[in-house]
RNA sequence: UGGGGUGUCGCCAAGUGGUAAGGCACAAGGUUUUGAUCCUUGCAUGCGUUGGUUCGAAUCCAGCCACCCCAGCCA
């Protein structure tokens, strides 16, 4: 199948979901002039994780699928929590995932001037007022879930007065919290977001993009809808908790002059009809055995429960990347999970399947012995050195071949030998035969043990007539991997497993610290990997019969490579 | 107890009045020089629940139940 065939097939089988259905309808009705323009709008206040990946894939893939555009916009309206470091890592993560945003990176902060003008417009039309209530007072006036709120005493300030006060807020005449700009909507609304929400607050604080130009900052609710409108976004996708904000999103946009919105928008000079963006909500991605809460992740880093934001056990994009997850596997996973409005918890197994599926197709095979047991092939002379040619992949010929040196002394994994094998054991036993992967069938003639009775070495004879052919007159079922003792390279291997041993480490009344899986990291210091691995162009491998591994980009050195286990192979042998 | 949402197989998820897609997981076979991959087969007389409308309901209507979100000058 060619690339384009598979693309076509993927499109044909792209699962139906309520957002695609909505877009299809919009396209049919011509609502946005046939345009599809989405955006991914993170606040640069932390590292991206698997949950963000779903949103990224959704927004960017939809744009691709409909030949539309997808912007990257930093929603940077609260400088107290944000930094350039996060801006940079987010951009890096999105590129790594394989997506390109439309045009330049956008910042809500670059619309601050326009946002200010629109606020003045709302004041002029009597839709906004400057309020002197403190945060605490405002809370009291807001009412409760079941009781209506009370109007602010400043609600009927004159337009002239509001204009003057707002200008002075901007000019820096007042301290933080002295005043706020509020929309004049309805203090009795059953939707608390509509009870005269704050549009601007005073914050004398440096902003990572705008420096010290501003001391008043617009709120999310006020900024997001206008930013969408300015960028000509058609479909503004966000998560479920913003559902109650949608009426406010619409209120703000509908109470501004459409022509003035259009005038400052990216569509100002286009031939398209100017249509306001619409918000649509979908359920967040949740994974069992996983925590994505910002506070929790930070604590785990700060308390040393993990080794940093890019610890391979972390659900961050940086962590998954270091773990060896491929961008395609994460994209496929997000696609397979679907998009719906029902809150759900996806099984980690689905993510693992996506990783295996991608790596199985693309990762070159190699051999690495994790827990070495010395085997001497007595049939060979001391200086025996045979260069065996092995293909890098059982099906994908384009991955090429490599040579694997075979010598008299090799190592195999300790778990591949049992003196008294359990029922069904297919590996090497005392007196039994086994195939060395890609090489000969050997027979274990002698088991050497130390004083404590531990097996230290196996003496085996080689059936020279079994290279590339089946042995005559008998069946040898088992195949085990091996590495030349002298030609192999010493390596450290890190075996990673899920961080938590319970399904819902973030649940109510659950302390995640008590749910940690004590075996989430196992360090193996004496591993031996075949030499070809170090010369490979790939950084992801399948170490045959062990799992998928990748070079650890941070801790590997020239003399001592470090490998991270990305994921084990499926293992249907219950005796293991 | 106000408002907004959601309930389809163990886990995701299609379905939009015509008789329950698909994936993961699981199980059983087959192929295999990876106990991998791959292939075949099985896996909801049932769609939160109770009624109603209809020739016919997961889909329409009503009631009930469960769970989630909202009272930041966070996003």
């Amino acid at each position: 199948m060619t690339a384009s065939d598979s693309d076509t097939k993927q499109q044909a089988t792209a699962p139906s979901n309520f957002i695609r259905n909505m877009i299809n309808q919009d396209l049919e009705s011509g609502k946005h002039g046939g345009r599809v323009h989405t955006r991914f709008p993170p606040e640069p206040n932390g590292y991206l994780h698997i949950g963000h990946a779903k949103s990224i894939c959704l927004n960017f893939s939809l744009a691709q699928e409909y030949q539309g555009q997808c912007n990257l916009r930093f929603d940077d309206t609260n400088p107290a929590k944000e930094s350039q470091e996060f801006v940079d890592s987010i951009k890096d993560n999105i590129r790594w995932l394989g997506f390109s945003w439309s045009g330049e990176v956008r910042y809500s902060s670059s619309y601050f001037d326009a946002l200010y003008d629109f606020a003045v417009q709302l004041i002029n039309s009597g839709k906004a007022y400057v309020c002197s209530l403190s945060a605490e007072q405002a809370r009291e006036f807001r009412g409760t879930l079941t009781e209506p709120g009370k109007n602010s005493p400043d609600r009927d300030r004159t337009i002239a007065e509001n204009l003057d006060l707002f200008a002075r807020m901007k000019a820096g005449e007042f301290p933080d919290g002295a005043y706020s700009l509020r929309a004049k909507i309805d203090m009795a609304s059953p939707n608390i977001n509509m009870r005269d929400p704050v549009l601007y607050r005073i914050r004398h604080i440096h902003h990572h993009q705008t420096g010290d130009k501003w001391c008043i900052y617009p709120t999310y609710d006020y900024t997001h809808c206008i930013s969408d409108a300015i960028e000509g976004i058609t479909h503004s996708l966000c998560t479920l908790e913003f559902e109650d904000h949608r009426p406010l999103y619409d209120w703000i946009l509908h109470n501004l002059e459409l022509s003035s919105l259009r005038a400052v928008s990216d569509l100002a000079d286009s031939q398209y009809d100017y249509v306001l963006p619409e918000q649509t909500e979908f359920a967040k991605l949740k994974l069992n055995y996983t925590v994505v809460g910002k506070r929790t992740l930070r604590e785990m880093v700060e308390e040393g429960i993990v080794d940093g934001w890019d610890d391979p056990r972390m659900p961050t994009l940086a962590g998954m990347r270091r773990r060896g997850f491929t961008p395609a596997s994460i994209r496929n996973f997000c696609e397979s999970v679907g998009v719906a409005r029902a809150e759900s918890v996806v099984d980690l197994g689905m993510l693992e399947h996506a990783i295996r599926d991608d790596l199985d197709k693309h990762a070159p095979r190699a051999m690495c012995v994790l827990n070495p047991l010395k085997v001497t092939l007595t049939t060979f002379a001391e200086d025996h050195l045979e260069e065996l040619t092995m293909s890098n992949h059982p099906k994908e010929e384009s991955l090429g071949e490599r040579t694997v040196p075979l010598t008299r002394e090799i190592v195999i994994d300790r778990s591949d030998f049992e003196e008294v094998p359990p029922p069904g054991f297919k590996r090497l036993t005392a007196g039994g035969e086994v195939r060395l992967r890609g090489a000969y069938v050997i027979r274990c003639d002698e088991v050497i043990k130390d004083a404590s009775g531990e097996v230290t070495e196996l003496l085996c004879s080689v059936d020279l007539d079994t290279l590339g052919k089946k042995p005559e007159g008998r069946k040898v079922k088992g195949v085990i991997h091996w590495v030349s003792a002298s030609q192999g390279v010493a390596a450290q291997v890190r075996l990673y497993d899920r961080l938590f041993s319970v399904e819902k480490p973030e649940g109510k009344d659950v302390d995640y610290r008590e749910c940690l899986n004590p075996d989430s990291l196992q360090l193996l210091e004496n591993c031996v990997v075949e030499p070809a691995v170090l010369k490979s162009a790939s950084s992801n491998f399948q170490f045959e019969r062990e799992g998928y591994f990748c070079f650890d980009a941070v801790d590997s050195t020239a003399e001592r490579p470090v490998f991270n286990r990305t994921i084990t192979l499926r293992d249907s042998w219950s005796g293991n």
Side-chain angles (χ1 to χ4, degrees), chain A residues 284-338:
Chain A
K284 272 189 168 119
L285 170 63
K286 287 187 182 172
L287 265 183
N288 58 9
Y289 299 102
T290 306
V291 16
V292 290
K294 209 160 275 176
R295 192 200 85 246
T296 312
L297 293 182
R298 184 172 25 80
E299 279 176 12
M300 292 197 299
V301 171
E302 287 172 355
E303 294 174 22
I305 293 171
V306 294
D307 293 329
W309 290 96
D310 66 343
D311 184 298
R313 292 166 293 183
M314 289 284 269
T316 52
L317 257 17
M320 294 190 288
R321 178 181 185 174
R322 190 168 171 197
R323 170 86 169 252
F325 287 21
T326 57
S329 68
I330 294 174
R331 281 187 255 118
N332 292 344
F333 167 70
C334 290
E335 185 70 57
S336 77
V337 150

Side-chain angles (χ1 to χ4, degrees), chain A residues 382-396:
Chain A
E382 289 285 347
D383 61 351
H384 184 86
L385 177 61
E386 193 173 346
E387 300 281 357
L388 299 168
T389 298
M390 296 175 54
S391 82
N392 287 329
H393 192 105
K395 292 174 184 163
E396 189 52 63

